[in-house]
Amino acid sequence: MAAGVFIPGGILTSGRVLQASKNKLKFRAVGGLPQGAFPSYASYVIEGTIDLRTHSGVATKNVFAGPPEAMSTIALPGLSRTIRITEVEDSGGVLRVRGVVDDRSQLHNGENPYIDITIDSGRDVASSSFMDSKVSLKLE
């Protein structure tokens, strides 16, 4: 799956058009945790579907055991979130997605229930936060 700018008949990403259902955008972004100079031992995955007509949708954030190149299907407990997308803004091919965590009882003390996700299809990256730190993810 990939993310990009909606155009009639598909999604433009990295100079190519991918088929998409009408007015829907599906995305999946993956990055290693921790980020920086340390080796990754977990994979942070954000994926979702956006209705571009209503600027709404649903996304999930999960953390899986193993780095992105060897990610398992085991989700680490207490780190999964379902996000209700409430706003989508297109700024010249970069989508700024805002939403709120559906089940706030899963949040850790001080964790913000409001989520921002930036999807830059031109660079094949997405960014968001994880435990109050900004993280960069690769679009798949």
Side-chain angles (χ1 to χ4, degrees), residues 31-35 44 46 61 116 118 125-138:
L33 292 176
Q35 295 200 331
Y44 189 38
I46 303 175
K61 288 185 168 191
D116 290 316
T118 301
V125 295
S127 62
S128 190
S129 61
F130 178 76
M131 300 293 175
D132 290 327
S133 295
K134 188 159 184 126
V135 293
S136 182
L137 310 162
K138 184 177 183 329

Side-chain angles (χ1 to χ4, degrees), residues 1-3 27-30 119-121 124-126 137-140:
M1 288 184 267
F27 68 93
R28 177 180 166 92
V30 179
I119 302 169
D120 185 341
S121 62
D124 283 334
V125 295
L137 310 162
K138 184 177 183 329
L139 291 172
E140 293 187 339

Side-chain angles (χ1 to χ4, degrees), residues 109-124:
N109 263 351
E111 185 177 351
N112 191 348
Y114 300 100
I115 306 295
D116 290 316
I117 304 167
T118 301
I119 302 169
D120 185 341
S121 62
R123 293 187 6 212
D124 283 334

Side-chain angles (χ1 to χ4, degrees), residues 8-25:
I11 300 291
L12 177 64
T13 177
S14 301
R16 63 187 187 272
V17 177
L18 302 174
Q19 290 302 317
S21 57
K22 189 174 184 173
N23 296 318
K24 299 268 186 204
L25 175 85

Side-chain angles (χ1 to χ4, degrees), residues 70-99:
M71 182 172 34
S72 75
T73 57
I74 300 169
L76 300 180
L79 298 175
S80 296
R81 306 285 182 264
T82 300
I83 299 135
R84 183 172 30 90
I85 296 170
T86 57
E87 185 180 338
V88 179
E89 177 185 322
D90 185 351
S91 300
V94 176
L95 292 180
R96 303 205 187 287
V97 179
R98 292 180 183 87

Side-chain angles (χ1 to χ4, degrees), residues 29-62:
V30 179
L33 292 176
Q35 295 200 331
F38 300 104
S40 298
Y41 60 84
S43 297
Y44 189 38
V45 179
I46 303 175
E47 55 190 326
T49 303
I50 301 169
D51 184 325
L52 297 168
R53 199 172 17 88
T54 63
H55 295 232
S56 62
V58 175
T60 58
K61 288 185 168 191
N62 291 292

